[in-house]
Amino acid sequence: RVIVGDVEALDLTEYRGFFDCILYGDVLEHLRDPWQVLSDARDLLKPGGVVIASIPNVRHYTVWVDLVARGRWEYQDSGLLDRTHLRFFTRASILDLFARAGLADVAIRERFVAPAHLRWLRFLPGPFRDYLCFQYIVTARKGADATP
């Protein structure tokens, strides 16, 4: 069965505890209330079910350079500052988003995008990695003790 509609408006209560996995591929940043959508998704998962999301990183160096060095925050047709993005996330705010939704075992994998002469920075600790991370791939699990 395929359900088509606005995820923020659909009534999916009949599917509580139904899904093994819910995917949000570059979706959450386009929503008015991704916190509520993820919380609802948690309720739709079976115990042990997984949410997988890809989320752009607004802390990428290209955004930082334009904002700090040039004083510009320019929306674009696509990419990190896509004009249809309603929300912007960093690693820290992603962790908060998933925690507030009651999801556990949150794991974040980085997708690096940078010119060759800067790629070595991804091996440094701390914020340097975040400056080169273009997008995060996030997985989180509904705890086995959580009710559907």
Side-chain angles (χ1 to χ4, degrees), residues 48-122:
V50 176
V51 169
I52 302 172
S54 58
I55 304 172
N57 173 30
V58 76
R59 198 173 185 195
H60 191 260
Y61 79 94
T62 55
V63 175
W64 185 86
V65 166
D66 281 347
L67 183 60
V68 174
R70 298 182 183 110
R72 307 200 49 99
W73 178 276
E74 301 278 334
Y75 287 97
Q76 303 162 358
D77 291 333
S78 63
L80 293 169
L81 296 179
D82 184 311
R83 67 184 79 256
T84 64
H85 289 178
L86 300 180
R87 305 287 176 202
F88 296 91
F89 295 97
T90 63
R91 176 190 301 272
S93 61
I94 289 169
L95 289 170
D96 180 63
L97 171 68
F98 280 76
R100 286 176 53 185
L103 293 160
D105 301 328
V106 178
I108 296 180
R109 194 178 84 220
E110 301 145 330
R111 182 171 163 252
F112 293 104
V113 174
H117 71 281
L118 294 177
R119 289 187 192 140
W120 64 273
L121 291 171
R122 72 178 184 231

Side-chain angles (χ1 to χ4, degrees), residues 15-27:
Y15 295 101
R16 288 177 63 101
F18 179 80
F19 295 100
D20 294 309
C21 180
I22 299 175
L23 300 172
Y24 293 104
D26 289 347
V27 169

